[in-house]
Amino acid sequence: MVLGEVKSGNGARVIEERRSTSRLSSCSPSQSCASRRGGRLHSTSAAQMAPNASKTGKSSPKASQGENTVDKVFLKYRRCDSPQTWWIVFGVVCLLAAATRFYNVGEPKHVVWDETHFGKFGSWYINRTFFFDVHPPLGKMLIGAFGYLTGYDGMFPFVKPGDSYEGVNYLGMRVCCTAMGACLVPFAFVIVWEMTFSLPAATLASSLILFDVGLLTLTQYILLDPILLFFIMGSVVGIVKFHSQRDRPFSFSWWAWLCFTGLMLSGSVSTKFVGLFVVIYVGLHTIKNLWDIYGDLNNSLIYVAKHFLARALGLIVLPVFLYFVYFFIHLTVLCRSGNGDGFYSSAFQSQLEGNSLYNASMPLELAYGAEVSLKNTRTGGGYLHSHIHLYPEGAGARQQQITTYSHKDFNNKWLVKKWNEEPGDWEDDDPVELVKNGDLIRLEHVPTGRNLHSHREQAPVTKRHHQVTGYGENGVGDVNDVWRVEVVKGEEEEVVKTVVHKIRLVHYLVGCALMSHNKQLPKWGFEQMEVTCNPNVHDSNNLWNIEENVFPKLPNSSFEIYGPNFLEKFLESHTVMFQGNSGLKPKEGEITSQPWQWPINFKGQWFSAIDGFKVYLLGNPIIWWGNLLVMAAFVLVYFYHAYRTQRGNVDDAETQARRDKTLEACGWLVLAWSLHYLPFYAMGRILYFHHYFPALLFSSMLTGVIIDYLLESLPSMVPHYLSSSVYPWLTGLFYSTLIYSFYLFAPLAYGMHNLDPSFENSTVHQIRWLDSWEF
């Protein structure tokens, strides 16, 4: 007994009727589509829903003899009363998706937009070089895997957009990303089909995604976006297919779709953190489903608990486990030090190998005369850094700037000296003197010869702190260059140790402590992090590690034993990523985008601005503006039917069932659109136009469902002699407009040539409908 044990005969009969209804509502495309909708266009007899009728592919009921061939084709298409019809339409949609996406996929033959980042990340995976990025690793790992499996050697530098790919095997990475982007079209088809059981609605929705030049542009390059959109749509496919198995709980297909959904959810979050929005969507869908199961009094609490535990296993435990697996692979593969590991703690880096600026094996103890680099222990903290530039007028004393810098650099090197004498050369036979807790020292910047210095001047950004500068000539300065070394929780005169000890540098005269935080200096400071002298000596941001320690007179030690375990590295990685995301602020003069501009297609993004082949990311305005109109139409339809229901107007069962199914599907799609769009209004980080595209997918699917509903409703609202022709004519007009608009705007995606504004008769010039479209 699937839905619980019922002893009475009447109860058993009720459960069997519920089973039958559920089977009809969740059957596969191989069954009669008309039966799935419960007679969507006309009432359908039991004989017409028989398997034999479905297999023969004959329409039921029969069309009248007066109908022409076009009417018959449209009637067959609308009823979808044979599996062959469904598969033919689905096959055509898939072929068109492949044709439009893979056409000219190798063009342009130069780096496009953010390919400079994600292509480089893929190269670093192939070379196993550690790097920092604000996004989780799965999407970048997949790009690296695509390149590795298709013969790319990981040697191309991806320096800047416009760099030629000549001689580079880049095509495999583009093709694989494009293939994931092409899957969005059939995914939309399946989602809308499972929500509405309407073949026209599924075709309309997938066509809106198919003919959107914006989605075409975004999913045709080596970017995270096609991968993210693939996993988001895959998650929704999984949950709607899982829901279609509700009459077969705990069967193999039920478990398969549940695990598929969990796999897609893990992929969404592991590509970008905005994948959390689809996790929330699936979670709400699951809560609704569990509530319905709990609300059925025929189900025992044990049965409800089994459903809850199964979903917790498939939609929580499995994605979380996979998320940890992706990070384990990420941290295992990237075992060589690179320019991105500077964002992490010294202990984290002790397990990274092979960088000329950082040696995993070096002296454990700190001696006078050593060249060191100091790193702030705050997660995401930078290296103590200086350069030849001075603080400007109005920013304290016009002395050399001191900052922190997140990357390894020769300007991070400092010479450790006694406070009152110069150290000897490394080749001298002088005895080695070690730095101890409580010692007074000076730090000389190796490249410029200036000493680390502070005084009672205001810091340039944090006014309540004191300014820190580089002062003196060739290591000769004054008493304001003296600092006291304090080992956190150290014994008196304990020897300072590299990596292991957290130290505090307290200014000898002022009594403040050297500090770094996440406040950026203006452009005159190259937007590096401010360094100050903090009067609050015990602030956690005052702590530093000796990371690099070069002193040939002392034996080297391995620091691998001091490295953190996987869980510690996992947590530190997330802290750094969250800090990085929150720190993505617009730079001075940078053009950004606002969320209110996105749905109206106000402004696009340049993908390639190279003369002779320009690519501009812009949505198909017919689709985007149509989506807004249709969303308004949905609100009107919803309130119109709510008003009629409240007034006691009763429709026939068929119309009521169709409307309820449509409004339920639209409700879920509006929820998904809201979850993927509205949170951006609360984000403080820099935003771009391409952030709207996950929401666009659901908006376009909503448009397909509503247009289908309106097209099906119109024949009953027009005179009888027009009722048979209004549907095909309006459908033809819709698809003609869609295809023609794609033809007009396709050059934005496939490459624009000859964009001189003087060519007023050119096609591209004529489609610049808004002045804000920069192309």
Side-chain angles (χ1 to χ4, degrees):
M1 183 68 69
V2 175
L3 297 178
E5 296 294 335
V6 178
K7 295 182 180 180
S8 69
N10 290 337
R13 190 159 50 251
V14 169
I15 294 174
E16 187 57 33
E17 288 173 358
R18 186 179 295 113
R19 283 175 170 173
S20 300
T21 303
S22 180
R23 290 190 191 101
L24 286 177
S25 66
S26 61
C27 56
S28 68
S30 62
Q31 293 174 274
S32 168
C33 305
S35 67
R36 290 173 65 107
R37 299 191 299 274
R40 185 166 172 268
L41 298 175
H42 302 281
S43 59
T44 308
S45 66
Q48 289 165 343
M49 290 192 293
N52 289 339
S54 177
K55 290 179 181 178
T56 58
K58 296 178 181 179
S59 295
S60 57
K62 294 180 180 179
S64 64
Q65 293 181 353
E67 290 179 328
N68 59 34
T69 304
V70 173
D71 292 335
K72 291 178 181 179
V73 169
F74 268 95
L75 196 60
K76 190 179 184 69
Y77 165 67
R78 292 163 68 188
R79 292 173 180 171
C80 182
D81 52 5
S82 71
Q84 290 86 349
T85 303
W86 192 95
W87 283 109
I88 288 171
V89 175
F90 182 70
V92 170
V93 167
C94 292
L95 287 174
L96 289 174
T100 54
R101 268 56 185 171
F102 290 110
Y103 174 71
N104 265 1
V105 70
E107 298 292 336
K109 295 179 181 177
H110 58 251
V111 177
V112 171
W113 190 49
D114 271 358
E115 283 189 336
T116 185
H117 298 302
F118 301 115
K120 185 184 299 178
F121 294 153
S123 298
W124 283 338
Y125 273 110
I126 294 172
N127 297 320
R128 308 190 72 175
T129 302
F130 197 87
F131 64 89
F132 166 75
D133 186 45
V134 297
H135 304 302
L138 180 61
K140 301 179 289 289
M141 283 198 297
L142 287 174
I143 289 173
F146 296 156
Y148 179 79
L149 294 173
T150 56
Y152 170 59
D153 59 8
M155 301 305 295
F156 186 70
F158 288 96
V159 175
K160 64 183 183 302
D163 287 350
S164 174
Y165 278 133
E166 185 177 356
V168 179
N169 190 2
Y170 70 99
L171 193 57
M173 289 186 285
R174 271 214 191 150
V175 167
C176 292
C177 289
T178 301
M180 298 185 80
C183 290
L184 303 180
V185 179
F187 277 177
F189 188 98
V190 172
I191 291 168
V192 174
W193 166 257
E194 290 293 342
M195 285 184 165
T196 64
F197 307 140
S198 167
L199 184 60
T203 311
L204 288 166
S206 57
S207 297
L208 290 166
I209 292 171
L210 171 67
F211 293 116
D212 185 6
V213 293
L215 277 168
L216 170 62
T217 305
L218 191 64
T219 58
Q220 212 176 21
Y221 301 104
I222 306 169
L223 304 172
L224 290 187
D225 297 274
I227 301 172
L228 173 67
L229 297 177
F230 172 87
F231 283 122
I232 288 175
M233 291 290 278
S235 300
V236 182
V237 168
I239 197 64
V240 297
K241 291 295 291 184
F242 171 70
H243 187 63
S244 73
Q245 304 295 317
R246 61 191 177 276
D247 62 322
R248 292 183 289 275
F250 308 109
S251 64
F252 175 80
S253 59
W254 188 90
W255 278 109
W257 284 114
L258 179 65
C259 294
F260 175 85
T261 307
L263 174 66
M264 292 293 109
L265 290 176
S266 72
S268 300
V269 181
S270 302
T271 301
K272 282 188 176 182
F273 286 125
V274 293
L276 284 169
F277 299 147
V278 78
V279 174
I280 296 172
Y281 173 79
V282 170
L284 294 173
H285 208 290
T286 304
I287 291 171
K288 167 66 167 56
N289 183 237
L290 285 172
W291 184 254
D292 290 340
I293 295 173
Y294 176 74
D296 189 339
L297 298 181
N298 294 309
N299 297 330
S300 66
L301 290 178
I302 293 177
Y303 180 79
V304 175
K306 286 180 180 178
H307 272 275
F308 174 81
L309 291 175
R311 286 161 173 79
L313 183 64
L315 302 179
I316 299 176
V317 176
L318 177 61
V320 169
F321 171 75
L322 291 174
Y323 188 76
F324 275 90
V325 168
Y326 302 144
F327 267 91
F328 180 80
I329 296 172
H330 165 73
L331 295 172
T332 301
V333 170
L334 301 183
C335 60
R336 297 174 181 168
S337 181
N339 64 357
D341 52 309
F343 290 90
Y344 296 84
S345 68
S346 300
F348 192 116
Q349 297 173 69
S350 67
Q351 297 179 334
L352 302 175
E353 304 171 350
N355 188 295
S356 60
L357 292 176
Y358 179 81
N359 299 307
S361 181
M362 56 189 165
L364 174 62
E365 297 172 323
L366 178 64
Y368 289 106
E371 285 187 3
V372 300
S373 63
L374 292 96
K375 190 172 190 299
N376 192 271
T377 60
R378 176 180 60 86
T379 300
Y383 296 98
L384 186 65
H385 179 93
S386 187
H387 38 242
I388 60 173
H389 301 278
L390 306 181
Y391 287 102
E393 291 286 350
R398 292 212 66 208
Q399 297 173 5
Q400 187 165 295
Q401 295 176 14
I402 302 291
T403 67
T404 55
Y405 185 54
S406 297
H407 300 283
K408 292 179 178 178
D409 187 277
F410 187 68
N411 281 324
N412 301 341
K413 287 183 174 291
W414 298 85
L415 179 65
V416 182
K417 306 184 296 184
K418 287 187 174 182
W419 73 275
N420 57 352
E421 64 181 71
E422 294 295 312
D425 294 333
W426 289 345
E427 291 79 12
D428 293 344
D429 293 331
D430 296 337
V432 174
E433 293 189 65
L434 301 178
V435 181
K436 299 185 177 74
N437 184 19
D439 281 3
L440 298 179
I441 67 169
R442 284 178 293 150
L443 290 172
E444 178 186 330
H445 188 237
V446 173
T448 62
R450 310 279 190 185
N451 292 332
L452 186 70
H453 177 99
S454 187
H455 44 227
R456 296 185 184 277
E457 289 275 355
Q458 283 186 338
V461 176
T462 310
K463 301 298 184 182
R464 65 182 183 278
H465 292 184
H466 302 297
Q467 183 188 32
V468 175
T469 68
Y471 177 76
E473 293 288 341
N474 298 319
V476 178
D478 61 24
V479 72
N480 278 318
D481 304 339
V482 180
W483 302 81
R484 184 174 67 253
V485 179
E486 295 183 358
V487 177
V488 176
K489 298 180 180 178
E491 302 292 335
E492 186 176 352
E493 294 199 350
E494 181 179 356
V495 174
V496 177
K497 294 180 181 178
T498 308
V499 174
V500 178
H501 281 160
K502 294 180 179 180
I503 65 171
R504 188 182 291 114
L505 295 173
V506 180
H507 195 263
Y508 177 65
L509 290 184
V510 181
C512 53
L514 187 71
M515 172 187 177
S516 172
H517 49 174
N518 59 359
K519 291 184 180 179
Q520 285 185 309
L521 293 172
K523 266 194 172 180
W524 54 256
F526 306 97
E527 298 178 335
Q528 294 175 8
M529 299 301 169
E530 182 190 35
V531 172
T532 66
C533 201
N534 186 357
N536 179 10
V537 176
H538 298 288
D539 193 314
S540 61
N541 290 329
N542 300 344
L543 303 181
W544 301 80
N545 280 126
I546 305 293
E547 182 177 293
E548 184 181 6
N549 181 13
V550 180
F551 192 70
K553 292 184 179 181
L554 288 177
N556 290 339
S557 301
S558 174
F559 287 83
E560 188 172 352
I561 60 174
Y562 300 110
N565 57 37
F566 167 71
L567 184 59
E568 291 170 329
K569 289 191 285 187
F570 176 86
L571 294 175
E572 183 173 345
S573 296
H574 282 75
T575 303
V576 173
M577 285 190 293
F578 292 145
Q579 287 181 350
N581 264 303
S582 63
L584 291 174
K585 306 293 184 183
K587 296 180 181 179
E588 187 177 341
E590 185 174 6
I591 298 175
T592 60
S593 182
Q594 299 299 321
W596 68 265
Q597 299 174 338
W598 302 343
I600 62 176
N601 211 22
F602 181 75
K603 182 184 291 186
Q605 287 176 229
W606 277 111
F607 265 40
S608 172
I610 303 300
D611 289 339
F613 199 105
K614 300 188 180 226
V615 176
Y616 188 74
L617 176 66
L618 186 75
N620 185 330
I622 300 300
I623 295 173
W624 286 55
W625 297 340
N627 285 350
L628 294 179
L629 293 175
V630 171
M631 192 171 292
F634 162 68
V635 175
L636 293 176
V637 168
Y638 179 84
F639 282 106
Y640 170 72
H641 288 298
Y643 170 78
R644 292 185 76 250
T645 302
Q646 191 68 20
R647 297 294 295 175
N649 295 306
V650 179
D651 294 313
D652 60 88
E654 178 188 334
T655 302
Q656 182 71 33
R658 181 166 67 87
R659 182 171 65 246
D660 291 345
K661 195 71 178 173
T662 299
L663 294 180
E664 181 185 14
C666 291
W668 284 112
L669 292 171
V670 168
L671 174 64
W673 173 82
S674 302
L675 288 171
H676 286 84
Y677 173 54
L678 298 182
F680 285 102
Y681 283 95
M683 292 187 184
R685 56 154 290 171
I686 188 170
L687 299 172
Y688 297 102
F689 177 52
H690 72 277
H691 287 134
Y692 181 69
F693 280 82
L696 171 73
L697 293 170
F698 298 102
S699 177
S700 294
M701 287 189 284
L702 173 70
T703 298
V705 174
I706 290 293
I707 288 180
D708 172 64
Y709 178 78
L710 296 176
L711 287 175
E712 289 291 351
S713 302
L714 281 175
S716 62
M717 301 178 185
V718 298
H720 178 71
Y721 63 89
L722 293 177
S723 60
S724 62
S725 58
V726 66
Y727 186 95
W729 276 104
L730 289 178
T731 302
L733 178 63
F734 176 85
Y735 281 107
S736 298
T737 304
L738 204 57
I739 294 170
Y740 183 66
S741 66
F742 177 79
Y743 166 77
L744 280 181
F745 288 91
L748 302 183
Y750 291 131
M752 295 177 283
H753 309 275
N754 199 5
L755 294 184
D756 191 320
S758 63
F759 292 92
E760 296 185 359
N761 294 324
S762 68
T763 303
V764 173
H765 184 82
Q766 292 175 357
I767 62 173
R768 192 183 177 204
W769 297 350
L770 298 181
D771 291 337
S772 55
W773 297 351
E774 297 101 333
F775 66 86

